Amino acid sequence: MRKVVSFDCYRTLINFDTRSATHEIVKDRLAEFGVDPDQFHHDAYVMRFQGVVDDYRPYREVVRRTLRNVMLLHGLEYRDEDGEALIEAIKKFTPFREVPDALRRLKGEYDIAILSNSEDDLISYAVDELGVEWDYVLTAEQAGAYKPLPQAFEYLMKATGRGPEDIIHTAQGWEYDIMPTKRYAGMRRIWVNRYGFPGSAAYQPYEEISDLSQLPPLLGV
């Protein structure tokens, strides 16, 4: 049985620029009320994390609630069309330029899987953009839980029929993917550190690359 290279999707494979998409929706209201954009978007990031570690709810609801709550925090009026506009923007996000070629190279030697904090309908837009045939497309909707919760990674192992020693988990998300997978002895973990964030010796062993073009040679392809 071949090893599986599992990928986080958003920000690892797909340029999931929710900051720019959100800013386009709220920029006039930020300016009108004098809200600091950096603080607003930082708060949205924290609230989105909180939203996925609470009891499971569909990803669309997480997106809507996060935007509503951060706007409430900063005194801005939330409208239903704001949440819908952000969901529509998510559907249109595209891969990082090096990703499709790297995936095609890996596909010849490994099974490939997506493990995404998304839902089945939304992830289909990203899958279409990536342009490769996936062996497994796994979502929080299927697992009933979002990363970084253990249930998400346990679902990855159950759905692929592999133990940790047969999985190479590759992701940009430090707190969503790299930190929580330390508990799985034998799992090879590769951090796609696109944004130059500091790592931590406390979560070794993991390997680090700056984009996906470095992954095929790292895995001998």
Side-chain angles (χ1 to χ4, degrees):
M1 185 178 292
R2 299 201 302 180
K3 290 193 175 186
V4 173
V5 184
S6 56
F7 294 92
D8 170 53
C9 185
Y10 299 145
R11 289 195 175 92
T12 300
L13 307 177
I14 296 288
N15 186 6
F16 192 72
D17 190 3
T18 51
R19 176 178 175 130
S20 294
T22 301
H23 193 76
E24 190 62 29
I25 295 164
V26 303
K27 62 184 179 182
D28 292 343
R29 280 167 278 179
L30 293 178
E32 179 182 357
F33 290 93
V35 176
D36 177 60
D38 288 337
Q39 186 64 53
F40 180 90
H41 293 297
H42 171 76
D43 292 339
Y45 184 87
V46 172
M47 287 183 175
R48 188 161 52 249
F49 184 87
Q50 292 171 330
V52 300
V53 297
D54 287 336
D55 291 342
Y56 176 81
R57 57 174 58 94
Y59 190 67
R60 278 178 167 80
E61 189 175 342
V62 172
V63 170
R64 295 186 190 105
R65 284 186 178 218
T66 297
L67 185 56
R68 181 200 67 185
N69 292 351
V70 72
M71 292 176 76
L72 181 64
L73 175 66
H74 289 280
L76 307 181
E77 178 189 1
Y78 172 79
R79 306 160 189 157
D80 288 343
E81 57 264 33
D82 297 329
E84 296 313 308
L86 184 52
I87 290 166
E88 288 304 309
I90 289 171
K91 293 178 182 179
K92 297 180 175 67
F93 290 154
T94 56
F96 292 102
R97 60 178 178 79
E98 83 284 357
V99 164
D101 180 63
L103 292 175
R104 286 191 291 268
R105 291 174 63 185
L106 289 166
K107 175 68 178 166
E109 298 295 329
Y110 295 91
D111 284 0
I112 57 173
I114 284 174
L115 179 65
S116 178
N117 276 0
S118 189
E119 55 192 56
D120 293 350
D121 173 58
L122 273 180
I123 201 66
S124 67
Y125 293 91
V127 169
D128 288 346
E129 290 287 341
L130 290 166
V132 295
E133 184 177 347
W134 292 87
D135 297 287
Y136 307 92
V137 178
L138 312 175
T139 64
E141 179 180 359
Q142 297 166 29
Y146 292 93
K147 300 174 295 180
L149 298 177
Q151 297 97 304
F153 298 101
E154 290 162 7
Y155 181 71
L156 167 65
M157 290 183 273
K158 178 180 178 181
T160 62
R162 268 77 163 192
E165 67 281 357
D166 291 316
I167 294 174
I168 303 166
H169 191 58
T170 305
Q172 183 274 329
W174 175 261
E175 64 273 47
Y176 286 95
D177 291 89
I178 303 303
M179 289 170 61
T181 51
K182 180 177 170 57
R183 65 168 59 89
Y184 301 112
M187 183 180 291
R188 188 172 178 183
R189 300 145 66 235
I190 300 174
W191 184 28
V192 187
N193 188 10
R194 292 186 177 278
Y195 307 105
F197 295 145
S200 170
Y203 291 95
Q204 288 284 2
Y206 61 86
E207 297 157 275
E208 184 175 337
I209 57 178
S210 60
D211 67 43
L212 221 68
S213 68
Q214 299 170 23
L215 185 61
L218 182 64
L219 298 185
V221 178

